[in-house]
Amino acid sequence: MTIVTNDVGRGRSPERPIGEHAVVGDLNTAALVAADGTIDFLCWPNLDSPSLFASLLDAERGGEFSITPQLREARQLQLYVPETNVLITRWLTPEASVEVIDFMPHSEVALHPAVVRHIHVTKGVVEIHAHCKPRPGYAREVPGVTQDGDGVRFDAPSGRWHLYGDMRWTPDAAAAEARFSVREGTDAWIVLCDSDKPVLTTEDLRRVEAATVRAWRNWSRSSTYDGRWREQVNRSALALKLLTSHRHGSIAAAVTFGLPESPGGVRNWDYRATWLRDASFTVYALLRLGYRSEAQGFRDWLSRIVETPETLAIMYALDGSKISEETELEHLRGHRGAAPVQVGNDARDQQQLDVFGESVDSLFLMTKYGSAVSHEVWTHLRATVDYLGRHWNEPDAGIWEVRGPPRHFLHSRLMCWVAVDRIIRLARKRSLPGPVTRWEELRDEIHADIWANFRHPEHGYFVRERGGRTVDGALLMMPLARFVSATDPVWLSTLDAIHHDLADDGLLWRYREDDGLPGNEGAFVACMFWYVECLARAGRLDEALLEMEKCLSYANHVGLYAEELDQRGFQLGNFPQGLSHLAMISAASALSRRLGNGYAGEWEP
């Protein structure tokens, strides 16, 4: 896939658009690479560590790592090496052309993080200007820079880094720069790594690049998916893989923090944590594609951190510890002025009853594709039913983490039902001990409560909260969780109400109600794909197919999605967002299965 961006030398906004980025990573951390070849976001050495580059959030203070070919009116293109997370950014003119291959050595190849930038000239002679301006510690630190041979070393309170390559780097006002030329058919290499790591030769770097490509391709080719939109599904799977922690087995919600859901607004959250909900959904998606080791890694991580249902949190740091409290980085202006920029997340202390359903459902699916649950895990699941028996009828903050008084949300009630239902299924399937009859009574009580108390008083379709009249994108989970038939008349009227109230030309919003925060958020990508899947399950295949193509058209130039989209379909929010990509995989799988090879359809304009 490609993109045409502004010509070199033309003006641009202080921070690059969210969607004009690709991502590279090593399963410990990840970097965003803008379409102009600049790394403008990277946390080091882990995804939830403080940032080293963050000019995406503040062009002046954040720090960045740029490579700028001195070519006039060059066309810029960006694509991935097929079936990998190795990125190529290209500059093309009639006289000369050059490409930069960006990657971080795969965790199977190297045990420590490094950014490797491989410059290859394919035509002519190209003058290159490279500039590296790290600003560690969330841009609170300005490092010292010292010459070290042809390279430089950056020293700051939070760490030391070594920048070296085939060219001479010189200190430049708390940064480093290099100016050099590369001829057709020749290469230059740049490496940024921790200061205490050994210097790699050109041959070393070639081997590391080849091994990294091979590792990604081996993983990609182990997918069992053979349906439609295979390329897009594979790209989404690769994005999800980048969110998994090689060290811990946890799964982050997104690569970034602080990117706005509302342009210029205050909805600028930190998503570099493991939400049990998002991670469980990721497990669903990867299991659909035949990836089991990630599911086992998450299951092991979850088993280590969960003690009792009473202590279960909705999110954790990647190492399983409690995520830090919300802190404003007041010195950063925010992406295009969207402030405050926040790290940590105060939603950590919310009660969200739905996390029990998603977590238990992921364990249920893992037993289907892998080993049975241990005695310890089964003991915990039994305690979960007892806990839900006492608390399922309580209000909470809901899936969307509304920052106001707790309410009785249908989605939370639905997921309490899912948790109890899946535990009953496990008991019967695996002959596990427990008071199943009593559990069935609890499950049926929750079921009856939803049908009795979460319906529109006039139209009869399901509504967002008890006693309410509005719908919510989270209701789309009802048939996906197998609570209601996808063709039930009540559900179909709910689906139509969601389309009428929340959808607009392939875009779909989570809700339209005031959520207590100023500004309006964008359309929610995951809900858009959930809607496609609901149409497919309902047998409305022509509609589903058209909506699917609209959703796919909103992906960026390399097939990635942020959390949300604005009214014109441009990316908003943290990027890339796992929930968006896993919902895409689920929709593609469900729709492809129902379309089959011989589907002709009947187009009705």
Side-chain angles (χ1 to χ4, degrees), residues 493-552:
S493 66
T494 306
L495 188 61
D496 290 340
I498 289 172
H499 181 266
H500 180 270
D501 294 351
L502 302 179
D504 178 14
D505 194 27
L507 302 173
L508 197 144
W509 277 254
R510 294 190 287 186
Y511 48 80
R512 297 288 196 184
E513 294 185 14
D514 180 10
D515 58 8
L517 292 171
N520 297 312
E521 64 170 22
F524 203 74
V525 175
C527 289
M528 292 159 51
F529 284 114
W530 290 345
Y531 179 69
V532 170
E533 185 168 355
C534 286
L535 288 173
R537 289 173 180 257
R540 292 158 59 171
L541 298 183
D542 272 0
E543 291 178 68
L545 188 56
L546 179 58
E547 292 296 317
M548 184 70 176
E549 292 298 333
K550 287 182 177 180
C551 289
L552 293 176

Side-chain angles (χ1 to χ4, degrees), residues 150-163:
D150 284 341
V152 297
R153 294 186 184 270
F154 299 101
D155 293 275
S158 61
R160 302 176 68 222
W161 297 268
H162 187 195
L163 177 67

Side-chain angles (χ1 to χ4, degrees), residues 82-98:
E83 302 176 301
T84 78
N85 280 313
V86 176
L87 182 71
I88 303 175
T89 307
R90 307 175 69 201
W91 290 259
L92 306 176
T93 72
E95 297 78 25
S97 57
V98 61

Side-chain angles (χ1 to χ4, degrees), residues 6 17 32 70 188 226 243 320 324 328 331 348 360 432 453 455-456 474 501 510 544 557 565 576:
N6 292 336
L32 298 192
Q70 302 302 293
D226 61 357
L243 297 174
S324 61
E328 294 183 4
H331 59 291
R348 65 181 188 167
V360 171
L432 296 168
N453 297 313
R455 306 271 299 279
H456 193 285
D501 294 351
R510 294 190 287 186
H557 60 290
L565 302 167

Side-chain angles (χ1 to χ4, degrees), residues 72-87:
R72 292 181 57 82
E73 298 184 350
R75 183 185 183 192
Q76 295 171 214
L77 311 174
Q78 203 169 51
L79 69 157
Y80 281 103
V81 174
E83 302 176 301
T84 78
N85 280 313
V86 176
L87 182 71

